[in-house]
Amino acid sequence: MGTPDPLTGHEARLAADRRRAAMLLRLRRQSETDGRECLPMLIDACCKDPAMLSLHVWAVDQAIFGTGRIRAGRHIETAAAWCGHRLGSPWTVDMGWLLDGRTGGSRLAAWTYAIALDNGFRPSGPDPYHS
């Protein structure tokens, strides 16, 4: 077993960066025609390509929902707080954290709920994240 070739690793990282950038662009374009397909498309991509798990959640929020960076960070912080997590920085949170199977989908649900509330959605019943 030899030493890994640094050039091969660098090329693989660049290829993954290109795929992630292409996904953000694809999400942005899809959000302009039928935004309901964005999250299923992204989750499917994350299942098929582990590189997608490194997408920053704030960038996904911007691509799909058109939010500014500060609002996107607030959505992440809110979701984390509702799930009992303290984050060092919302800017480091990636799709791997959001889709972590050990949470049973609670982070993803909290994040989408935070976005919905911020965009004016008001549930008819009590807020499930506040007692």
Side-chain angles (χ1 to χ4, degrees):
M1 204 171 200
T3 306
D5 177 21
L7 183 58
T8 302
H10 176 71
E11 289 170 352
R13 185 181 59 78
L14 289 177
D17 288 345
R18 283 191 296 274
R19 290 193 311 275
R20 284 188 290 268
M23 175 54 69
L24 290 173
L25 181 59
R26 187 173 170 203
L27 290 170
R28 184 73 211 145
R29 288 182 177 157
Q30 183 67 39
S31 73
E32 294 168 355
T33 58
D34 185 6
R36 296 172 296 175
E37 294 300 317
C38 290
L39 285 177
M41 181 175 66
L42 176 60
I43 292 168
D44 184 56
C46 287
C47 291
K48 292 177 180 173
D49 183 357
M52 294 300 142
L53 294 171
S54 295
L55 276 170
H56 286 110
V57 175
W58 64 265
V60 169
D61 195 333
Q62 286 184 319
I64 296 174
F65 303 105
T67 58
R69 193 165 191 254
I70 299 301
R71 281 180 66 194
R74 200 169 41 239
H75 296 156
I76 296 164
E77 289 172 332
T78 300
W82 286 342
C83 293
H85 298 284
R86 288 187 185 264
L87 298 174
S89 169
W91 316 119
T92 61
V93 173
D94 61 21
M95 290 302 297
W97 179 87
L98 193 68
L99 298 176
D100 186 338
R102 296 171 294 182
T103 70
S106 64
R107 291 177 187 163
L108 177 62
W111 177 67
T112 56
Y113 194 62
I115 293 167
L117 290 175
D118 195 35
N119 286 311
F121 171 76
R122 294 294 171 248
S124 59
D127 184 340
Y129 292 99
H130 292 96
S131 47

